[in-house]
Amino acid sequence: MTAPEAGRGIGIGERLAEETTTFGFPRDTFRILHVSTGNVCRSPITERLTRHFVAERLGVLGGGLIVESAGTWGHEGAPMEANAETVLAEFGADASGFMGRELLDEHVIRADLVLTATRDHRAQVISMGHSAGLRTFTLKEFTRLVRAIDPATLPPLDEGLVMRARALVRAAAALRGWLLAPTAEADEVYDPYGAPLPFFRSIGDEIRDALDPVVTALTGVPARM
C-alpha cells in the first residue's frame, strides 16, 4: 500500500458540488476557527495574522472566508494580552476590537477548519463531537500536511476561495495518517501567557512560519517578498 496522492481519492471533482449546506449552514462561506486555552494570546495572534496574510495576498479578506478564534478556558470578553497586540502590530496586523471567547459547541459546529495550538486542544475539540475529527488539526500539523499537497490538485481560485479551501481540508485529512510528526513537540505552539515580550515574539514567529504555507495554499498566492 502506498500513500494516497494529495488531492486524489477524496472526490475533489465529484464531491465539492454535493450538498448545499454543512450542519445546516450555507456552503458559500468557509470558517476557520483558531483555538488555544485562554483566547488572549496564541489564538488571537493566529486569527489576526491569518486575516492579515489573506488580505495581503488577495487585497481584501473576503471570498466567503471567515476567521475567528476561541479558547477552551476562554476569558469571555477579555482583551488580548498587551504583548500579543505588540507582536501583531510588528507584523502590521490589526489587533483592534478583539474580545476573548470561551469555546462553545456552536463554534465547532459552524467551523469548516479548526486549527489548535496544541494536541490537547485538538483532543478537546474532537471530544465535543459534531464530526469535528476530519476538520480539526493542530496548526503545525496542518502546515505539515499542506506542504505535501500538490497545489495543482486544488480548484483554482477563480472557482472560488470556499471551494478551494474545502478541497484543501479534505486533502489534508486524507494525508493525516501518512505524514506523522517527527516528535510530539513538533505539533505544539507553546503558551506565552505571562512571558516577556521576546518570548511572545518567538511564538509570533512560529505562528507566522506555520501560517505562511497554509495561506499560500488557501489563496494560491505566495507571500510578497
Side-chain angles (χ1 to χ4, degrees):
M1 178 183 268
T2 58
E5 291 183 39
R8 296 188 58 186
I10 55 175
I12 289 175
E14 300 86 312
R15 293 169 56 194
L16 284 176
E18 50 186 17
E19 68 274 14
T20 59
T21 63
T22 300
F23 299 109
F25 296 100
R27 289 178 60 87
D28 58 354
T29 61
F30 185 90
R31 287 180 179 268
I32 301 175
L33 175 66
H34 295 291
V35 175
S36 62
T37 303
N39 194 215
V40 292
C41 297
R42 289 167 291 181
S43 50
I45 291 173
T46 315
E47 172 198 321
R48 294 306 176 95
L49 281 184
T50 301
R51 294 184 185 185
H52 178 66
F53 292 153
V54 170
E56 273 191 333
R57 285 161 169 78
L58 300 182
V60 63
L61 179 63
L65 182 66
I66 300 169
V67 186
E68 51 196 358
S69 63
T72 55
W73 291 87
H75 301 305
E76 191 73 29
M80 192 184 310
E81 281 287 291
N83 283 343
E85 289 191 359
T86 298
V87 167
L88 286 172
E90 291 174 350
F91 282 119
D94 182 13
S96 65
F98 180 85
M99 290 193 298
R101 301 193 304 175
E102 182 175 356
L103 181 67
L104 302 176
D105 289 276
E106 66 187 67
H107 301 145
V108 177
I109 290 170
R110 291 171 66 89
D112 298 285
L113 171 62
V114 184
L115 296 176
T116 70
T118 70
R119 292 168 296 147
D120 283 346
H121 296 132
R122 181 185 64 194
Q124 289 181 65
V125 171
I126 293 172
S127 74
M128 295 171 72
H130 314 302
S131 303
L134 290 177
R135 52 197 167 92
T136 302
F137 310 78
T138 74
L139 171 62
K140 289 185 176 180
E141 174 192 20
F142 194 66
T143 300
R144 183 175 67 255
L145 299 173
V146 163
R147 288 183 184 277
I149 296 170
D150 181 357
T153 66
L154 300 174
L157 191 60
D158 60 10
E159 293 185 16
L161 182 60
V162 169
M163 180 175 286
R164 184 179 178 92
R166 293 187 187 282
L168 183 66
V169 173
R170 287 174 174 167
L175 288 173
R176 194 202 301 262
W178 298 92
L179 296 176
L180 303 179
T183 66
E185 291 73 24
D187 283 344
E188 306 282 287
V189 176
Y190 291 107
D191 193 354
Y193 184 77
L197 182 57
F199 188 67
F200 267 84
R201 286 182 173 134
S202 70
I203 294 300
D205 288 342
E206 283 187 36
I207 292 171
R208 175 203 59 201
D209 293 345
L211 280 176
D212 180 71
V214 172
V215 176
T216 296
L218 186 67
T219 63
V221 180
R224 297 175 183 173
M225 301 301 293

